[in-house]
Amino acid sequence: YEEFFHPFFPIIPRETFDRTRLPWVSRHEPHLFSAILTVASKDNEHVHQICYDHNQQLISMILAGADANVEAVEALLLLSQWVSHRPQASIAVGRGEEDRVAWMYIGTALRLGYFLGIDRTSFKSDSHEDPAIFNRKRLVWSACYICDRQVSVRIGKGFWARGPGPLSGLRSSDFPTLQPSSPSADDYSLIFQANLELTQIFSNVHDILYSSKGHGWKEMLEGRYAKYLDDFRTSLRSWNDVWSVLICSPRLKSSLLLTYDYLRLYVNAFAYQATMSRTLTYQRDSQHQSNHPMPLINASAPDARFIYEAIDAGKSLLSTFNNFANPEILRYMPSCYYLFIIYSAVFLYKARSTTTMTEDERSDVRNMINQTIEGLQKASVGANHMGSRYARLLQMLWRKAPKRARNKQQNKSSIDGRLNAATQNTSNIGQSQFDPNAQFPGHLAMNNNIGLSGQFQPRPSGTFSWLDLGATWNFATQNNSGTASDSESDNNMMLENGLSPFDIGDIRPITDYSLLEGDNPNLIF
């Protein structure tokens, strides 16, 4: 555990790894001792089953009111970061179960932390408590904050932890137990500070953009969110200016890059969804719905700069995994990094089907996905381990390539070129049109040309958000496996209503404004 897992989430006290203290740790810190063994044994099925069963007994005792200390909070956080595959042993295709398990572990850790009063360590104080104990509690509560924010962002729920916000001023020097033990060792305190700052940006983005705010959110969907996106992009650039030069081991550098690119995707993808939502609302309210198929998103879209950066972020994240965070590294990373990869692949699936791309760009994305699937499979040692299950999800989602309509006019501009064109307000880029008579056995036909009037004909499918792996699973396993003949009547019905397959369900756009009345925590993009 110390060699392979600890560097990614270094909240365990250094003395815990002293082998001469193992008997003491097993007696006086049984929850932490059991959690470490449970995580470290995940590739040995027999040993892992024994450790997992024992660990569940200890957790049940906590829930029943047994005494527990800060070591139990640490144990729960470890289990939330490396979710055991045992509860999903019978599930062949991943659908986001890990986030539900992590949510429960983190929620229990927060409750216990509040009960023990360790939340008061968020701010610097003149406490007369033993510095070693105080610093351990502060680190654990900061980790609670990071875990709570990140899992809440992934599943679209509200935050619970009162964490070390920007006004607390916590820096790497406030975590002395993470200081390097030798000049050649990684400085975990700096890595922790970098992740803490990213988490604070995550928190702000979620609060402002992704939490339902009734009429306030309605105004942002009408186009009033650009200022927020620009502010967050500035914050991201500032973070990157500071931390991109950090010298650390490749595995930790990869973890920071994956988190950074996912945050870039999370910020900019809001504009993609807002663009789709406004178009769907217009389609729904139009008196001539059947004559107004949804256009492809191209450089003439008002939010093109945000959308193309979201695509770039997704591609950058997968490139980091494919080229730097090899399967041997991913195998020991916390579960959230697997999910970052999956979310990015799902977003690119949607973007590839709704934005204009050149043939080379489309091929590059498909090759990238193939490499990602192969890497996820190599990172797993069992058929039902996390990498294998989500590799199957991506295989099912991407198994049928889009059919493109043939068009005489073509434009070979790259995404970067279109991004520059959008920034300079360039338009008049050629025409692209889907063949209305094309068959759609897998998913909607796709054109690679840039056009102001590029359009698609939707195929019937369930609603799925790129942030909703359960809905993605439904789409991949059910809707993406039919034939054109099976779905012809449903397809005609959707064409008559002028609706899109990407963001609707039961023929209702995801931007049904009745959902925005009041605070609806279940509505996520």
Side-chain angles (χ1 to χ4, degrees):
Y1 180 90
E2 180 184 15
E3 179 180 357
F4 294 110
F5 297 92
H6 179 70
F8 296 110
F9 194 61
I11 67 170
I12 306 304
R14 191 171 296 154
E15 58 270 17
T16 301
F17 300 114
D18 183 352
R19 297 194 177 192
T20 62
R21 297 184 75 249
L22 288 182
W24 183 92
V25 173
S26 66
R27 288 194 303 271
H28 298 281
E29 297 186 345
H31 306 92
L32 180 59
F33 184 75
S34 176
I36 290 174
L37 295 181
T38 300
V39 171
S41 65
K42 72 183 185 69
D43 292 341
N44 185 319
E45 198 64 36
H46 177 67
V47 176
H48 182 71
Q49 183 66 62
I50 297 172
C51 295
Y52 177 80
D53 291 342
H54 177 67
N55 196 61
Q56 293 306 299
Q57 293 179 1
L58 294 177
I59 294 175
S60 297
M61 293 173 65
I62 293 177
L63 298 177
D67 288 338
N69 209 323
V70 65
E71 57 90 19
V73 180
E74 294 169 336
L76 290 165
L77 294 183
L78 292 190
L79 296 171
S80 75
Q81 294 302 291
W82 287 277
V83 175
S84 172
H85 63 274
R86 291 308 307 163
Q88 292 84 38
S90 61
I91 299 176
V93 181
R95 55 187 304 175
E97 303 88 352
E98 291 77 13
D99 276 341
R100 182 177 68 245
V101 177
W103 172 266
M104 300 305 295
Y105 279 136
I106 293 168
T108 305
L110 289 173
R111 283 288 188 183
L112 182 57
Y114 278 125
F115 181 79
L116 297 174
I118 65 175
D119 57 302
R120 293 192 292 269
T121 62
S122 294
F123 300 94
K124 299 178 181 179
S125 67
D126 297 326
S127 173
H128 297 292
E129 190 174 19
D130 183 338
I133 297 176
F134 180 83
N135 289 329
R136 182 177 183 179
K137 290 181 177 179
R138 170 182 281 173
L139 175 61
V140 170
W141 189 249
S142 298
C144 283
Y145 167 80
I146 291 176
C147 293
D148 173 57
R149 291 304 197 260
Q150 291 195 354
V151 75
S152 298
V153 162
R154 294 199 302 272
I155 66 176
K157 301 294 185 182
F159 304 134
W160 287 98
R162 296 193 305 270
L167 296 180
S168 63
L170 292 182
R171 314 294 295 177
S172 60
S173 58
D174 294 307
F175 305 108
T177 59
L178 300 183
Q179 300 295 329
S181 56
S182 66
S184 60
D186 284 318
D187 191 338
Y188 295 147
S189 64
L190 289 175
I191 301 293
F192 194 83
Q193 181 184 339
N195 277 308
L196 183 60
E197 292 181 8
L198 279 176
T199 302
Q200 288 167 345
I201 301 175
F202 265 121
S203 179
N204 293 335
V205 174
H206 179 81
D207 276 338
I208 294 176
L209 296 180
Y210 286 92
S211 293
S212 177
K213 301 296 183 182
H215 293 292
W217 198 4
K218 178 180 176 181
E219 290 177 358
M220 283 189 286
L221 290 181
E222 291 173 350
R224 296 186 175 96
Y225 49 82
K227 179 182 182 301
Y228 299 113
L229 297 184
D230 282 330
D231 288 344
F232 290 135
R233 280 149 53 102
T234 300
S235 298
L236 279 168
R237 285 193 293 270
S238 298
W239 183 93
N240 190 51
D241 289 342
V242 173
W243 297 105
S244 62
V245 296
L246 177 66
I247 299 177
C248 59
S249 60
R251 57 182 175 178
L252 294 182
K253 192 75 168 184
S254 297
S255 70
L256 283 178
L257 288 174
L258 290 173
T259 307
Y260 168 73
D261 279 329
Y262 180 71
L263 180 51
R264 278 209 302 142
L265 173 60
Y266 188 67
V267 169
N268 289 283
F270 184 85
Y272 167 83
Q273 184 61 54
T275 298
M276 296 290 290
S277 299
R278 286 196 302 272
T279 305
L280 287 169
T281 302
Y282 171 78
Q283 296 258 356
R284 181 191 62 181
D285 296 338
S286 174
Q287 296 179 355
H288 305 285
Q289 295 175 9
S290 60
N291 296 327
H292 295 280
M294 182 183 292
L296 292 173
I297 299 173
N298 57 31
S300 66
D303 292 333
R305 60 194 175 107
F306 302 125
I307 295 169
Y308 290 143
E309 183 166 349
I311 295 174
D312 178 73
K315 293 169 64 176
S316 177
L317 192 152
L318 296 186
S319 295
T320 297
F321 167 58
N322 292 332
N323 300 323
F324 300 104
N326 60 58
E328 287 299 321
I329 292 178
L330 181 67
R331 180 175 300 169
Y332 304 109
M333 281 183 162
S335 305
C336 63
Y337 293 102
Y338 285 83
L339 297 175
F340 290 165
I341 293 167
I342 304 307
Y343 287 133
S344 298
V346 173
F347 175 80
L348 288 176
Y349 176 87
K350 298 188 70 174
R352 188 174 183 262
S353 304
T354 54
T355 62
T356 54
M357 290 186 182
T358 66
E359 183 63 29
D360 288 342
E361 289 166 346
R362 291 167 55 77
S363 297
D364 288 344
V365 170
R366 185 59 202 241
N367 292 335
M368 194 177 297
I369 294 298
N370 291 338
Q371 292 180 44
T372 299
I373 292 172
E374 182 180 355
L376 289 171
Q377 292 171 333
K378 290 181 179 179
S380 299
V381 296
N384 287 322
H385 282 231
M386 190 172 182
S388 295
R389 289 187 292 108
Y390 283 103
R392 293 190 196 104
L393 176 66
L394 295 186
Q395 284 176 327
M396 297 179 75
L397 181 65
W398 284 81
R399 61 187 161 184
K400 295 183 179 179
K403 287 187 176 181
R404 295 188 297 105
R406 297 293 180 182
N407 199 320
K408 295 181 179 180
Q409 291 184 329
Q410 302 218 355
N411 188 303
K412 299 299 183 181
S413 298
S414 66
I415 281 182
D416 292 335
R418 295 199 301 274
L419 180 57
N420 293 332
T423 305
Q424 299 169 9
N425 235 353
T426 302
S427 59
N428 300 323
I429 314 180
Q431 304 281 325
S432 66
Q433 180 86 18
F434 276 95
D435 179 4
N437 299 317
Q439 298 297 311
F440 305 93
H443 47 70
L444 56 90
M446 184 66 209
N447 193 301
N448 71 318
N449 300 328
I450 304 170
L452 301 179
S453 61
Q455 300 169 346
F456 67 77
Q457 303 286 5
R459 72 174 290 277
S461 66
T463 295
F464 77 97
S465 161
W466 70 277
L467 289 173
D468 187 345
L469 295 182
T472 303
W473 181 91
N474 288 332
F475 176 83
T477 59
Q478 299 174 25
N479 298 289
N480 201 27
S481 58
T483 64
S485 59
D486 295 333
S487 62
E488 184 176 355
S489 60
D490 289 333
N491 194 41
N492 291 336
M493 178 183 67
M494 292 185 68
L495 291 175
E496 291 173 0
N497 287 276
L499 300 177
S500 164
F502 292 97
D503 301 279
I504 65 171
D506 299 324
I507 315 302
R508 182 179 67 182
I510 198 171
T511 49
D512 183 348
Y513 286 125
S514 65
L515 298 175
L516 301 177
E517 299 298 333
D519 190 18
N520 183 1
N522 296 318
L523 183 61
I524 63 171
F525 288 152

